[in-house]
Short mmCIF file of all heavy atoms in Angstrom, two decimals:
data_model
loop_
_atom_site.label_atom_id
_atom_site.label_comp_id
_atom_site.label_asym_id
_atom_site.label_seq_id
_atom_site.Cartn_x
_atom_site.Cartn_y
_atom_site.Cartn_z
N GLN J 283 -88.31 -42.09 2.60
CA GLN J 283 -88.11 -41.09 1.57
C GLN J 283 -88.77 -39.78 1.96
O GLN J 283 -89.91 -39.76 2.43
CB GLN J 283 -88.66 -41.58 0.23
CG GLN J 283 -88.02 -42.88 -0.26
CD GLN J 283 -88.74 -43.45 -1.46
OE1 GLN J 283 -89.96 -43.47 -1.52
NE2 GLN J 283 -87.97 -43.91 -2.42
N ARG J 284 -88.06 -38.68 1.75
CA ARG J 284 -88.58 -37.38 2.15
C ARG J 284 -88.27 -36.34 1.09
O ARG J 284 -87.36 -36.50 0.28
CB ARG J 284 -87.94 -36.93 3.48
CG ARG J 284 -88.27 -37.82 4.66
CD ARG J 284 -87.46 -37.42 5.88
NE ARG J 284 -87.75 -38.29 7.01
CZ ARG J 284 -88.68 -38.05 7.93
NH1 ARG J 284 -89.40 -36.94 7.84
NH2 ARG J 284 -88.91 -38.87 8.91
N VAL J 285 -89.04 -35.27 1.13
CA VAL J 285 -88.70 -34.07 0.39
C VAL J 285 -88.52 -32.95 1.43
O VAL J 285 -89.07 -33.01 2.52
CB VAL J 285 -89.78 -33.68 -0.64
CG1 VAL J 285 -89.92 -34.75 -1.70
CG2 VAL J 285 -91.13 -33.44 0.03
N GLN J 286 -87.73 -31.97 1.06
CA GLN J 286 -87.42 -30.88 1.99
C GLN J 286 -88.17 -29.61 1.58
O GLN J 286 -88.11 -29.20 0.41
CB GLN J 286 -85.91 -30.60 2.01
CG GLN J 286 -85.08 -31.75 2.56
CD GLN J 286 -85.30 -31.98 4.04
OE1 GLN J 286 -85.67 -31.07 4.78
NE2 GLN J 286 -85.08 -33.22 4.48
N ILE J 287 -88.86 -29.03 2.54
CA ILE J 287 -89.66 -27.83 2.30
C ILE J 287 -89.14 -26.70 3.18
O ILE J 287 -88.83 -26.90 4.35
CB ILE J 287 -91.16 -28.08 2.63
CG1 ILE J 287 -91.68 -29.31 1.89
CG2 ILE J 287 -92.00 -26.85 2.28
CD1 ILE J 287 -91.68 -29.19 0.40
N LEU J 288 -89.06 -25.51 2.61
CA LEU J 288 -88.74 -24.31 3.38
C LEU J 288 -90.04 -23.57 3.67
O LEU J 288 -90.78 -23.23 2.74
CB LEU J 288 -87.78 -23.40 2.61
CG LEU J 288 -87.46 -22.05 3.28
CD1 LEU J 288 -86.67 -22.27 4.57
CD2 LEU J 288 -86.69 -21.14 2.33
N ARG J 289 -90.32 -23.34 4.95
CA ARG J 289 -91.51 -22.59 5.34
C ARG J 289 -91.08 -21.21 5.85
O ARG J 289 -90.25 -21.11 6.74
CB ARG J 289 -92.30 -23.32 6.42
CG ARG J 289 -93.48 -22.49 6.94
CD ARG J 289 -94.46 -23.30 7.76
NE ARG J 289 -93.87 -23.87 8.96
CZ ARG J 289 -94.57 -24.52 9.89
NH1 ARG J 289 -95.88 -24.69 9.73
NH2 ARG J 289 -93.98 -25.02 10.96
N GLU J 290 -91.65 -20.17 5.26
CA GLU J 290 -91.31 -18.80 5.64
C GLU J 290 -92.58 -18.06 6.04
O GLU J 290 -93.57 -18.08 5.30
CB GLU J 290 -90.64 -18.05 4.48
CG GLU J 290 -89.35 -18.67 4.00
CD GLU J 290 -88.83 -17.99 2.76
OE1 GLU J 290 -89.24 -18.41 1.65
OE2 GLU J 290 -88.06 -17.03 2.89
N TRP J 291 -92.55 -17.44 7.20
CA TRP J 291 -93.66 -16.60 7.62
C TRP J 291 -93.45 -15.21 7.04
O TRP J 291 -92.46 -14.54 7.36
CB TRP J 291 -93.75 -16.53 9.14
CG TRP J 291 -94.31 -17.78 9.75
CD1 TRP J 291 -95.61 -18.07 10.00
CD2 TRP J 291 -93.56 -18.92 10.18
NE1 TRP J 291 -95.73 -19.31 10.57
CE2 TRP J 291 -94.49 -19.86 10.69
CE3 TRP J 291 -92.21 -19.24 10.19
CZ2 TRP J 291 -94.10 -21.09 11.20
CZ3 TRP J 291 -91.82 -20.48 10.69
CH2 TRP J 291 -92.77 -21.38 11.19
N VAL J 292 -94.34 -14.81 6.18
CA VAL J 292 -94.22 -13.51 5.53
C VAL J 292 -95.10 -12.52 6.28
O VAL J 292 -96.34 -12.64 6.26
CB VAL J 292 -94.66 -13.60 4.05
CG1 VAL J 292 -94.46 -12.25 3.37
CG2 VAL J 292 -93.87 -14.69 3.34
N VAL J 293 -94.48 -11.61 6.96
CA VAL J 293 -95.20 -10.63 7.77
C VAL J 293 -95.19 -9.29 7.04
O VAL J 293 -94.15 -8.85 6.56
CB VAL J 293 -94.56 -10.48 9.16
CG1 VAL J 293 -95.34 -9.48 10.00
CG2 VAL J 293 -94.49 -11.83 9.85
N SER J 294 -96.34 -8.68 6.95
CA SER J 294 -96.42 -7.39 6.26
C SER J 294 -95.58 -6.35 6.99
O SER J 294 -95.43 -6.38 8.21
CB SER J 294 -97.87 -6.90 6.19
OG SER J 294 -98.40 -6.77 7.48
N GLN J 295 -95.02 -5.39 6.23
CA GLN J 295 -94.18 -4.36 6.83
C GLN J 295 -95.03 -3.45 7.72
O GLN J 295 -96.11 -3.02 7.34
CB GLN J 295 -93.49 -3.53 5.75
CG GLN J 295 -92.46 -2.57 6.30
CD GLN J 295 -91.73 -1.83 5.21
OE1 GLN J 295 -91.94 -2.08 4.04
NE2 GLN J 295 -90.86 -0.91 5.59
N LYS J 296 -94.50 -3.16 8.87
CA LYS J 296 -95.23 -2.32 9.82
C LYS J 296 -95.37 -0.90 9.28
O LYS J 296 -94.52 -0.41 8.54
CB LYS J 296 -94.49 -2.30 11.16
CG LYS J 296 -94.34 -3.66 11.81
CD LYS J 296 -93.46 -3.59 13.03
CE LYS J 296 -92.01 -3.31 12.67
NZ LYS J 296 -91.10 -3.38 13.84
N LYS J 297 -96.46 -0.26 9.67
CA LYS J 297 -96.75 1.09 9.20
C LYS J 297 -97.19 1.93 10.39
O LYS J 297 -97.90 1.44 11.28
CB LYS J 297 -97.87 1.01 8.17
CG LYS J 297 -98.27 2.34 7.54
CD LYS J 297 -99.58 2.20 6.75
CE LYS J 297 -99.54 1.07 5.77
NZ LYS J 297 -100.83 0.91 5.07
N ILE J 298 -96.76 3.18 10.41
CA ILE J 298 -97.22 4.10 11.45
C ILE J 298 -97.78 5.35 10.77
O ILE J 298 -97.15 5.92 9.88
CB ILE J 298 -96.10 4.45 12.44
CG1 ILE J 298 -96.64 5.29 13.60
CG2 ILE J 298 -94.93 5.14 11.77
CD1 ILE J 298 -95.66 5.44 14.76
N ILE J 299 -98.98 5.74 11.17
CA ILE J 299 -99.61 6.96 10.68
C ILE J 299 -99.63 7.95 11.83
O ILE J 299 -100.23 7.68 12.88
CB ILE J 299 -101.02 6.71 10.15
CG1 ILE J 299 -100.98 5.74 8.96
CG2 ILE J 299 -101.69 8.02 9.73
CD1 ILE J 299 -102.35 5.35 8.43
N ILE J 300 -98.97 9.08 11.64
CA ILE J 300 -98.86 10.09 12.69
C ILE J 300 -99.75 11.27 12.32
O ILE J 300 -99.52 11.94 11.31
CB ILE J 300 -97.40 10.58 12.85
CG1 ILE J 300 -96.47 9.37 13.07
CG2 ILE J 300 -97.29 11.56 14.00
CD1 ILE J 300 -94.99 9.74 13.02
N PHE J 301 -100.77 11.49 13.12
CA PHE J 301 -101.63 12.66 12.94
C PHE J 301 -101.01 13.82 13.73
O PHE J 301 -101.03 13.81 14.96
CB PHE J 301 -103.05 12.38 13.42
CG PHE J 301 -103.81 11.44 12.53
CD1 PHE J 301 -103.92 10.08 12.84
CD2 PHE J 301 -104.43 11.89 11.37
CE1 PHE J 301 -104.61 9.21 12.04
CE2 PHE J 301 -105.14 11.02 10.56
CZ PHE J 301 -105.23 9.68 10.88
N GLY J 302 -100.47 14.79 12.99
CA GLY J 302 -99.79 15.90 13.63
C GLY J 302 -98.30 15.85 13.31
O GLY J 302 -97.68 14.79 13.49
N GLY J 303 -97.75 16.96 12.88
CA GLY J 303 -96.34 16.97 12.49
C GLY J 303 -95.49 17.83 13.39
O GLY J 303 -94.47 18.36 12.93
N GLY J 304 -95.88 17.98 14.65
CA GLY J 304 -95.18 18.87 15.57
C GLY J 304 -93.89 18.32 16.13
O GLY J 304 -93.26 17.41 15.56
N HIS J 305 -93.49 18.85 17.30
CA HIS J 305 -92.18 18.57 17.85
C HIS J 305 -91.98 17.12 18.27
O HIS J 305 -90.88 16.59 18.23
CB HIS J 305 -91.89 19.51 19.04
CG HIS J 305 -92.90 19.41 20.14
ND1 HIS J 305 -94.21 19.82 20.00
CD2 HIS J 305 -92.78 18.93 21.41
CE1 HIS J 305 -94.85 19.60 21.14
NE2 HIS J 305 -94.01 19.07 22.00
N ILE J 306 -93.06 16.43 18.69
CA ILE J 306 -92.93 15.01 19.06
C ILE J 306 -92.82 14.14 17.81
O ILE J 306 -92.13 13.12 17.79
CB ILE J 306 -94.14 14.57 19.93
CG1 ILE J 306 -94.10 15.28 21.28
CG2 ILE J 306 -94.15 13.05 20.12
CD1 ILE J 306 -95.31 15.01 22.15
N SER J 307 -93.49 14.56 16.74
CA SER J 307 -93.55 13.74 15.53
C SER J 307 -92.20 13.57 14.86
O SER J 307 -91.95 12.53 14.23
CB SER J 307 -94.55 14.36 14.54
OG SER J 307 -95.83 14.45 15.12
N LEU J 308 -91.33 14.57 14.94
CA LEU J 308 -90.02 14.46 14.29
C LEU J 308 -89.20 13.29 14.84
O LEU J 308 -88.81 12.39 14.07
CB LEU J 308 -89.25 15.77 14.45
CG LEU J 308 -89.58 16.87 13.44
CD1 LEU J 308 -88.85 18.15 13.80
CD2 LEU J 308 -89.20 16.43 12.04
N PRO J 309 -88.92 13.21 16.15
CA PRO J 309 -88.17 12.05 16.65
C PRO J 309 -88.97 10.75 16.54
O PRO J 309 -88.39 9.68 16.35
CB PRO J 309 -87.89 12.40 18.12
CG PRO J 309 -88.91 13.42 18.49
CD PRO J 309 -89.19 14.19 17.23
N LEU J 310 -90.30 10.85 16.64
CA LEU J 310 -91.15 9.66 16.51
C LEU J 310 -90.97 9.04 15.13
O LEU J 310 -90.81 7.81 15.00
CB LEU J 310 -92.60 10.02 16.76
CG LEU J 310 -93.63 8.88 16.67
CD1 LEU J 310 -93.34 7.80 17.71
CD2 LEU J 310 -95.05 9.42 16.85
N ALA J 311 -90.98 9.87 14.08
CA ALA J 311 -90.82 9.37 12.71
C ALA J 311 -89.43 8.77 12.51
O ALA J 311 -89.27 7.71 11.90
CB ALA J 311 -91.07 10.49 11.71
N GLU J 312 -88.40 9.43 13.04
CA GLU J 312 -87.04 8.94 12.88
C GLU J 312 -86.84 7.60 13.57
O GLU J 312 -86.23 6.68 13.03
CB GLU J 312 -86.05 9.98 13.43
CG GLU J 312 -85.98 11.26 12.60
CD GLU J 312 -85.07 12.30 13.24
OE1 GLU J 312 -84.41 11.98 14.24
OE2 GLU J 312 -85.02 13.43 12.72
N MET J 313 -87.35 7.48 14.79
CA MET J 313 -87.22 6.22 15.51
C MET J 313 -88.03 5.11 14.84
O MET J 313 -87.59 3.95 14.79
CB MET J 313 -87.69 6.39 16.96
CG MET J 313 -86.82 7.30 17.80
SD MET J 313 -87.49 7.46 19.48
CE MET J 313 -86.47 8.78 20.14
#
C-alpha cells in the first residue's frame, strides 16, 4: 500500500541589482 506525494523544489526568483544606470545597464536590464 502506498500514497503518492508530489515534491516541488521552490526556488526564490532571481534578482539583479545594478549600481549605475548608464549605457551598459540598459541592455543588461533587458536581458
Side-chain angles (χ1 to χ4, degrees):
Q283 301 171 318
R284 296 172 181 268
V285 296
Q286 295 292 333
I287 307 296
L288 175 67
R289 175 167 61 174
E290 299 173 272
W291 285 270
V292 183
V293 181
S294 59
Q295 188 176 357
K296 300 173 291 186
K297 182 192 308 177
I298 186 168
I299 298 176
I300 307 171
F301 289 98
H305 58 292
I306 293 175
S307 301
L308 278 174
L310 180 61
E312 291 176 6
M313 293 179 190

